[in-house]
Amino acid sequence: MARTPRVKQWFAPGRVNLIGEHTDYNMGFVMPVALDMGCTVRAAPARRPVLHLSSAQYPGEMIFPLDAIPSMKRTGAWADYVLGVAREIAALGFELKPMRLEIDASVPTGGGLSSSAALEVASALALLDGRELPKLEIARLCQRAEREFVGMPCGIMDQYAALFGEEHKAILLDCRSVTHQYVPIPDGVEIVIANTMVKHELGSSAYRQRVAECQQALSFFPGRESLRDVTLADLERASRQMPEIPLARARHVILENQRVQDFLAAALRNDVAAMGRLMVESHRSLQHDYEVSCEELDFLVDTALTIEGVHGSRMTGGGFGGCTVSLVDRSAADAFRERLSAAYQQKYGLVPAIYRCTPSAGARRIA
Ligand code: GLA
């Protein structure tokens, strides 16, 4: 009788970022929370020396000979996230094992909740198949896969959150030292995520452009390693030489880093009103100085702020669609969901998916 192959299942969470947006690739601070939604990879040994990929979300199956993977070019399909990770794992000296990977995502794709990092990290765990590698190394190899193979010059926030998530906690990550501290979420409030259900095409090219604009801003401060090292006073002194756009981008990054610190202090003293105000300031800065919001995100934020029991609301993730995150009194959360959903439907004719965020643990084997 044939032996049933040993199937293992690996899970990595998506994330919502509470504050600290577009600061990670400027070596700044971010504060993501790992979600209970994410990506599951079911891994079984393959009989031939191939990597066999399928997804519950996309039709078709893809088969890649293992020995071709290290020199492959990107395909343009979702499989690139897995192939990029496989290449990095091979480059670290691990032999790629013949495998069938079945992928299933419970986090919406393209919704700003980091479905791609969840896919990368869950795939990395499946491909490593129990071979030891420190979590930070896994986060970094997944980030390299996305930057170098997929071609998206992202920071480390999403992959880090997918690995280091913790129940009931947010993660304050310092993207320069790449170390973190956990931050308790105050009692009595809920973190509510609302999905615009739109993704504007501009997203990835604008992201690249923002990364370049930050580099341009930095070039006005010779000797500084990143915008993390530039103060508001420095910026004011340089403001007459700087073109308007890099000036505004740098102002966002500098003030956003300060807001993350202030948000941390507010969270530690249970000051949800101050946390909420900082979220709104963050949103306005992303809307006007960094210019990565969009009409739908602004509508969700502005509407949220008219509803009772809401302390703050902002866009989360890269922008140009995707989700908002709001801090809402637990007792007001149901009414908030209903009102926000009704208003959005009336305006855009789209039903926004609304999720309660349950701060959850990082990537792990689940079966
Ligand atoms: C995307 C990137 C992250 C981060 C955010 C913006 O999610 O993957 O690295 O830059 O955008 O804060």
Side-chain angles (χ1 to χ4, degrees):
M1 218 169 69
R3 247 177 356 121
T4 25
R6 179 110 179 74
V7 177
K8 296 175 191 163
Q9 285 191 52
W10 309 86
F11 173 81
R15 63 97 192 96
V16 65
N17 189 21
L18 296 184
I19 197 156
E21 216 67 82
H22 289 276
T23 46
D24 62 349
Y25 52 83
N26 290 300
M27 294 191 191
F29 299 99
V30 294
M31 206 187 288
V33 173
L35 302 174
D36 56 355
M37 306 181 275
C39 179
T40 300
V41 174
R42 212 167 157 269
R47 290 203 193 84
R48 292 187 290 131
V50 295
L51 189 59
H52 187 291
L53 303 180
S54 61
S55 158
Q57 279 70 45
Y58 299 95
E61 295 184 329
M62 284 175 265
I63 301 174
F64 304 96
L66 291 180
D67 56 4
I69 290 177
S71 57
M72 271 195 63
K73 297 256 180 315
R74 77 169 152 237
T75 65
W78 63 268
D80 284 349
Y81 294 99
V82 187
L83 291 172
V85 166
R87 280 165 51 103
E88 292 296 332
I89 287 180
L92 288 172
F94 293 102
E95 195 185 332
L96 294 175
K97 299 183 181 180
M99 279 189 190
R100 300 177 74 87
L101 302 183
E102 288 171 26
I103 289 144
D104 195 358
S106 55
V107 66
T109 53
L113 301 178
S114 211
S115 54
S116 40
L119 171 58
E120 289 154 11
V121 171
S123 303
L125 295 188
L127 292 164
L128 283 166
D129 195 28
R131 289 172 289 183
E132 296 272 321
L133 198 60
K135 280 189 201 179
L136 180 57
E137 290 311 309
I138 301 177
R140 286 193 199 276
L141 83 83
C142 290
Q143 185 198 15
R144 283 200 301 279
E146 184 149 349
R147 291 176 69 98
E148 287 160 30
F149 193 67
V150 178
M152 176 74 177
C154 65
I156 187 87
M157 164 166 71
D158 303 348
Q159 294 80 4
Y160 197 95
L163 280 147
F164 288 91
E166 177 122 327
E167 281 181 24
H168 314 299
K169 301 273 178 16
I171 309 161
L172 172 72
L173 168 62
D174 176 336
C175 299
R176 166 173 279 161
S177 62
V178 202
T179 53
H180 69 273
Q181 88 182 62
Y182 290 116
V183 183
I185 311 286
D187 288 336
V189 282
E190 243 183 56
I191 299 165
V192 183
I193 300 167
N195 194 336
T196 60
M197 316 305 278
V198 300
K199 187 185 179 211
H200 296 295
E201 264 323 302
L202 213 62
S204 58
S205 61
Y207 189 93
R208 264 180 266 280
Q209 200 185 346
R210 295 300 176 276
V211 173
E213 288 160 354
C214 288
Q215 285 308 315
Q216 191 195 350
L218 183 63
S219 70
F220 289 88
F221 304 94
R224 313 290 171 92
E225 197 189 354
S226 76
L227 288 180
R228 162 84 169 265
D229 304 313
V230 179
T231 65
L232 211 52
D234 294 331
L235 194 67
E236 268 158 28
R237 273 193 295 276
S239 61
R240 265 190 273 131
Q241 288 89 59
M242 285 177 78
E244 204 181 313
I245 286 187
L247 180 67
R249 307 305 189 233
R251 186 164 54 227
H252 166 75
V253 172
I254 294 167
L255 292 172
E256 185 77 353
N257 278 329
Q258 185 57 48
R259 278 189 285 270
V260 179
Q261 297 299 331
D262 296 347
F263 190 89
L264 168 69
L268 295 177
R269 59 171 199 269
N270 266 302
D271 186 348
V272 288
M275 292 165 76
R277 279 196 299 273
L278 290 159
M279 291 170 79
V280 178
E281 283 175 24
S282 167
H283 183 78
R284 298 301 173 214
S285 177
L286 290 158
Q287 183 179 6
H288 302 300
D289 271 349
Y290 219 69
E291 297 182 280
V292 290
S293 187
C294 64
E295 193 194 310
E296 294 86 348
L297 285 167
D298 295 341
F299 179 83
L300 281 180
V301 167
D302 292 337
T303 306
L305 296 177
T306 67
I307 300 174
E308 208 174 319
V310 176
H311 297 284
S313 185
R314 57 181 289 276
M315 56 155 276
T316 187
F320 298 99
C323 293
T324 63
V325 57
S326 305
L327 200 60
V328 186
D329 281 336
R330 177 151 295 134
S331 56
D334 286 337
F336 169 73
R337 277 188 278 268
E338 276 163 36
R339 287 194 48 194
L340 191 65
S341 176
Y344 194 75
Q345 282 180 62
Q346 199 183 14
K347 172 94 177 168
Y348 292 105
L350 284 171
V351 182
I354 300 190
Y355 324 93
R356 168 197 303 236
C357 158
T358 309
S360 300
R364 59 204 178 265
R365 183 169 171 190
I366 54 170

